[in-house]
């Protein structure tokens, strides 16, 4: 203790004793560490990465053209020569179509969520932190959008804008903004009234530092988790839009569209017809489980 | 005055504007504190003691209007521009909170939180701030400090968290420390440890401390002076000895009689009848009059002024003189 008294009025020694303090792992690195210790999340993550790489490198893994069909080779069963996953109703190779189709499906899953995460997140955090008139204005506007069921709203927007990939991404982004705003607003306003925000202010933190440093770290977890769970919904909704003819237009491959066009063949080749549905299911499931793993990894209180 | 006061609060008033009408949570608090002095604001819940501290830090929400002066080192905290205010908070003026669990950010480690504050105020490198944080944790007697530096708040016990909170508050060598019931959330054995630590640090660093509590025992333990607060006003101030031995205000007497400390063995503990008045509907006269046994017509109709009995010793009661006569 004597070293402290020697320095006079301050309680801290001026030449600090050289003690090796291992660098603090930081929040995100410790989240990463916990994610790695969760077998389900790791398995699901590997599966997701596999799907991602197969679709990204579709021209390499699938040698056949996804849009050229053959009249004589229609609706071949799984395991037939040259088409190990069979062919669809116009004789196009299912493996190639699934691989190429994944690109659009993942895009329509991730892109709307990313857009709504950015816009909705900013709006929600603003509403939650500012409160008062600003908060009310933002939240009541969102309530107007809430009045419509999400799929109906997506159909309505797509119907107005016309079909196509870009428009369906836009429509889904608009559909996801209100729930994203609501989630961000809720977690932010809960967090804002906790003592540590006041304590941070009492130790000289400015408002912008509080928002960037304390609020974001506390709020980003729940928001990100919610966003991840929306990806699966987005894939399913966009598959629904394609199914209704409002999303991606044929002959482009997309899982929802494929499911739609193979519907008529369900009695001829039930397994082939089910393949796009299976892919949608597996991918959505993977995203949901990732969200789940992320949720427990991001909560430091559950760390043990 | 030869030595300038470390804190000088003049006529501090905090009004909350509400739809149902204005509410004066603090009503003209005036006191000054020399360097190295510890003052306790003693009062029941809702008497305005925590609001006094928050008003001094400028921490109250926008709908609260604060008037008066809070001079720390000659500067009026309430009139500082935002940047200078942020610099003062956590710098010369620091605060510890009642609930260390809630007052520490759950997603950062203790070390990160302390280092962040030091970097913010002194602009030194993160690594050397971390070294300072380690020294601070050692100073507040947290065992295996190097390991604790990397703990999250939830990984520590209540007493340890409060020690960490104290380390955080002392990070930039404040001259004035505001402590808002820092021992209330802790169990009794830990309470006394924290009190002893605070007193030791206060003496060593020569800080002025304003301590808020409802616990007479804690007040007697830590402070040089006591200010008894009732319904947003100081009803009596004086040295610990004066107030503990010869309380002059009927409320102070009631407060002392209703604690186990004051009630001797074989004597019934007395209670103060009634409950504190609502701050938005204060009685016209003395705020304590509805609960006071000595209250007469004058008490019910007029607000008693402060009677200055000596330097730093005031009482706000019409019957204080007769009470003094009784005491002598």
């Amino acid at each position: 203790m004597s070293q402290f008294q020697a320095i006079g009025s301050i309680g801290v020694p001026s030449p600090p004793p050289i003690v090796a303090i291992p660098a603090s792992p930081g929040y995100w690195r410790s989240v990463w560490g916990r994610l790695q210790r969760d077998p389900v999340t790791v398995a699901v993550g590997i599966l997701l990465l596999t799907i991602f790489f197969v679709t990204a490198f579709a021209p390499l893994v699938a040698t056949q053209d996804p849009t050229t069909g053959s009249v004589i080779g229609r609706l071949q069963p799984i395991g037939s020569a040259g088409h190990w996953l069979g062919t669809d109703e116009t004789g196009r190779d299912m493996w190639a179509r699934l691989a190429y189709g994944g690109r659009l499906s993942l895009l329509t899953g991730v892109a709307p969520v990313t857009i709504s995460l950015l816009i909705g997140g900013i709006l929600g955090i603003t509403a939650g932190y500012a409160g008062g008139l600003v908060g009310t204005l933002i939240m009541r506007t969102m309530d107007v959008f809430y009045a419509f069921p999400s799929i109906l709203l997506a159909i309505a927007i797509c119907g107005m804008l016309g079909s196509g990939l870009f428009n369906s991404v836009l429509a889904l982004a608009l559909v996801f903004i209100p729930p994203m705003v609501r989630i961000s607003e809720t977690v932010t306003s809960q967090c804002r009234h906790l003592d540590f925000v006041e304590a941070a202010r009492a130790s000289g933190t400015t408002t912008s530092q509080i928002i960037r440093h304390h609020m974001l770290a506390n709020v980003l977890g729940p928001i990100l988790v919610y966003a991840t769970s929306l990806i699966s919904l987005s894939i399913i909704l966009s598959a629904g839009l394609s199914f209704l003819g409002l999303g991606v237009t044929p002959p482009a491959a997309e899982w929802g569209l494929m499911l739609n066009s193979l519907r008529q063949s369900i009695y001829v080749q039930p397994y082939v017809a089910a393949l796009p549905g299976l892919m949608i299911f597996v991918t959505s499931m993977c995203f949901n489980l990732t969200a789940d793993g992320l949720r427990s990894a991001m909560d430091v209180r559950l760390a043990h | 005055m030869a030595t300038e006061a470390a804190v000088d609060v003049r006529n501090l008033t905090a009004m909350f504007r509400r739809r149902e009408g204005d509410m004066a949570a603090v009503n003209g608090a005036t006191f000054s504190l020399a360097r190295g002095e510890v003052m306790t604001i003693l009062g029941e819940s809702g008497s305005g003691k925590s609001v006094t501290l928050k008003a001094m830090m400028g921490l109250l929400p926008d709908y609260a209007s604060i008037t008066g002066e809070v001079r720390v080192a000659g500067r009026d905290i309430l009139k500082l521009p935002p940047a200078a205010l942020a610099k003062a908070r956590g710098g010369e003026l620091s605060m510890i909170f009642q609930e260390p669990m809630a007052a520490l950010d759950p997603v950062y480690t203790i070390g990160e939180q302390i280092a962040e504050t030091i970097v913010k105020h002194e602009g030194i490198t993160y690594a050397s701030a971390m070294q300072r944080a380690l020294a601070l944790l050692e100073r507040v007697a947290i065992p295996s400090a190097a390991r604790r530096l990397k703990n999250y708040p939830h990984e520590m016990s209540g007493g340890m968290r409060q020690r960490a909170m104290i380390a955080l508050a002392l990070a930039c060598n404040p001259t004035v420390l505001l402590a808002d019931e820092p021992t209330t959330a802790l169990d009794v054995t830990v309470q006394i440890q924290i009190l002893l630590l605070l007193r030791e640090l206060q003496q060593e660093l020569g800080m002025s401390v304003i301590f808020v509590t409802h616990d007479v025992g804690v007040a007697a333990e830590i402070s040089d002076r006591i200010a008894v607060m009732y319904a947003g006003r100081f009803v009596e101030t004086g040295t610990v000895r004066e107030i503990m031995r010869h309380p002059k205000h009927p409320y102070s007497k009631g407060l002392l009689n209703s604690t186990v400390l004051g009630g001797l063995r074989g004597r019934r503990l007395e209670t103060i009848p009634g409950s504190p008045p609502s701050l938005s509907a204060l009685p016209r006269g003395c705020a304590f009059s509805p609960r006071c046994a000595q209250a007469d017509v004058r008490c019910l109709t007029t607000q008693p002024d402060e009677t200055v009995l000596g330097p730093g010793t005031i009482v706000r009661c019409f019957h204080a003189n007769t009470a003094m006569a009784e005491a002598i």
Side-chain angles (χ1 to χ4, degrees):
Chain A
M1 256 340 100
S2 63
Q3 55 173 339
F4 297 107
Q5 275 130 25
I7 311 300
S9 72
I10 50 168
V12 175
S14 51
I18 303 307
V19 182
I21 301 170
S24 168
Y27 178 61
W28 294 107
R29 199 173 300 174
S30 65
V31 167
W32 178 237
R34 281 193 291 276
L35 270 181
Q36 284 171 315
R37 285 194 295 273
D38 180 4
V40 177
T41 311
V42 170
V44 163
I46 291 172
L47 192 55
L48 263 185
L49 275 183
T50 315
I51 294 174
F52 175 77
F53 279 114
V54 166
T55 56
F57 298 105
L60 297 177
V61 289
T63 44
Q64 303 186 39
D65 187 74
T67 49
T68 11
S70 123
V71 188
I72 45 167
R74 290 192 301 161
L75 289 171
Q76 305 253 324
I78 290 173
S80 48
H83 307 285
W84 73 279
L85 281 180
T87 57
D88 72 357
E89 76 285 351
T90 51
R92 296 172 289 198
D93 183 51
M94 277 304 278
W95 168 239
R97 278 185 75 73
L98 282 176
Y100 280 93
R103 293 176 162 187
L104 287 183
S105 284
L106 286 181
L107 182 74
T108 53
V110 176
V113 174
T114 315
I115 297 171
S116 66
L117 175 68
L118 282 177
I119 299 175
I122 291 173
L123 280 176
I125 292 175
T126 312
Y129 196 83
L133 188 66
V134 179
T136 312
L137 213 62
I138 294 176
M139 293 319 290
R140 294 299 83 82
T141 314
M142 290 304 134
D143 284 349
V144 174
F145 286 92
Y146 251 111
F148 305 100
S150 56
I151 183 74
L152 208 64
L153 187 60
I155 292 171
I157 298 169
C158 256
M160 272 190 315
L161 299 173
S163 63
L165 176 68
F166 179 76
N167 287 345
S168 71
V169 167
L170 202 65
L172 287 174
L174 282 174
V175 166
F176 291 142
I177 286 175
M180 202 68 97
V181 171
R182 180 162 287 185
I183 292 286
S184 334
E185 193 261 351
T186 308
V187 290
T188 311
S189 63
Q190 277 170 358
C191 185
R192 171 184 161 60
H193 293 107
L194 292 177
D195 274 0
F196 72 82
V197 176
E198 194 164 76
R201 191 165 293 134
S203 71
T205 317
T206 59
T207 304
S208 82
Q209 281 170 330
I210 286 178
I211 293 176
R212 277 181 291 128
H213 193 74
H214 294 280
M215 298 303 282
L216 268 188
N218 276 282
V219 151
L220 211 55
I223 298 178
L224 220 54
V225 169
Y226 181 69
T228 319
S229 73
L230 273 188
I231 294 178
S232 61
L233 185 66
S234 181
I235 291 177
I236 293 167
L237 284 185
S238 72
L241 286 180
S242 306
F243 184 91
L244 293 171
L246 288 168
V248 179
T249 40
E254 198 265 349
W255 293 341
L257 195 65
M258 290 163 69
L259 193 66
N260 184 20
S261 53
L262 278 166
R263 189 169 44 116
Q264 287 105 346
S265 319
I266 194 120
Y267 297 111
V268 188
Q269 283 301 346
Y271 297 115
V272 173
L275 279 175
L278 183 73
M279 283 316 294
I280 293 173
F281 169 74
V282 168
T283 315
S284 315
M285 197 70 178
C286 283
F287 275 116
N288 272 342
L289 288 173
T290 312
D292 216 36
L294 209 58
R295 184 181 52 77
S296 36
M298 287 181 107
D299 195 341
V300 285
R301 277 150 292 201
L302 297 174
H304 298 283
Chain B
M1 222 191 264
T3 50
E4 201 189 336
V7 201
D8 200 16
V9 176
R10 293 264 154 256
N11 224 358
L12 183 67
T13 304
M15 279 274 237
F16 289 97
R17 305 213 173 280
R18 291 187 171 178
R19 235 166 283 170
E20 311 90 70
D22 291 357
M23 192 185 93
V26 183
N27 214 330
T30 300
F31 59 90
S32 80
L33 205 60
R35 245 188 105 78
E37 214 176 6
V38 181
M39 185 178 93
T40 295
I41 301 178
L42 190 64
E44 286 171 275
S45 344
S47 58
K49 45 194 197 323
S50 295
V51 180
T52 308
L53 289 196
K54 284 181 184 168
M56 287 177 67
M57 287 286 254
L59 281 178
L60 292 175
D62 293 337
Y63 58 86
S65 77
I66 300 161
T67 53
E69 268 179 36
V70 177
R71 293 200 168 273
V72 175
R75 291 191 304 169
D76 187 356
I77 294 288
L78 300 179
K79 293 197 176 59
L80 288 180
L85 180 62
K87 205 81 196 149
R89 289 170 178 165
E92 59 240 50
L93 190 61
S94 195
M95 184 160 178
I96 46 183
F97 288 79
Q98 180 174 350
E99 270 287 352
M101 185 67 218
L104 292 164
D105 191 331
V107 304
Y108 293 104
T109 61
I110 298 298
E112 286 167 347
Q113 297 188 42
I114 299 177
E116 185 214 325
T117 304
I118 301 177
V119 170
K120 206 157 53 200
H121 281 281
E122 300 182 6
I124 59 175
T125 65
Y126 190 76
S128 47
M130 229 17 168
Q131 292 287 352
R132 279 266 296 275
L134 176 69
L136 281 159
L137 286 196
E138 278 167 355
R139 186 61 200 89
V140 296
I142 288 182
S144 46
R147 193 162 56 82
R148 289 296 178 185
L149 211 53
K150 287 177 283 171
N151 272 178
Y152 288 97
H154 71 275
E155 295 170 321
M156 300 176 129
S157 68
M160 204 110 76
R161 277 199 286 268
Q162 195 56 282
R163 284 174 193 271
M165 186 81 225
I166 293 171
L168 180 62
L170 299 186
C172 299
N173 310 305
T175 50
V176 180
L177 180 68
L178 310 180
D180 186 3
E181 307 208 30
T183 57
T184 308
L186 306 172
D187 61 42
V188 187
T189 46
V190 182
Q191 271 188 18
I192 193 74
Q193 292 171 9
I194 296 290
L195 281 181
L196 291 175
L197 174 72
L198 271 175
R199 201 162 62 176
E200 189 188 317
L201 288 167
Q202 178 266 327
Q203 280 163 4
E204 190 183 309
L205 309 179
M207 287 183 297
S208 307
V209 178
I210 300 174
F211 200 96
V212 156
T213 185
H214 60 254
D215 188 330
V216 178
V218 168
E221 186 66 46
I222 189 122
S223 42
D224 302 317
R225 281 169 41 204
I226 292 182
V228 182
M229 198 163 195
Y230 189 78
R233 283 199 172 88
F234 285 168
V235 292
E236 181 172 0
T237 62
T239 62
V240 178
R241 181 182 286 261
E242 278 170 349
I243 290 194
M244 289 296 173
R245 298 255 173 98
H246 310 295
K248 292 169 198 77
H249 196 281
Y251 178 64
S252 319
K253 287 180 202 165
L255 214 54
L256 287 171
N257 284 336
S258 62
T259 53
V260 184
L261 196 83
L264 294 169
R265 197 180 155 85
R267 230 179 74 189
R268 270 183 79 95
L269 271 180
E270 283 171 38
T271 56
I272 308 176
S275 52
S278 155
L279 290 171
S280 48
L282 285 177
R284 196 151 59 94
C286 169
F288 188 59
S289 59
R291 303 170 76 187
C292 182
Q294 292 170 283
D296 54 24
V297 185
R298 193 163 51 139
C299 301
L300 293 172
T301 50
T302 30
Q303 169 69 43
D305 281 328
E306 283 178 6
T307 315
V308 181
L309 302 172
T313 308
I314 63 133
V315 63
R316 199 187 274 275
C317 180
F318 292 124
H319 301 284
N321 289 327
T322 49
M324 264 201 335
E326 277 167 36
I328 300 164

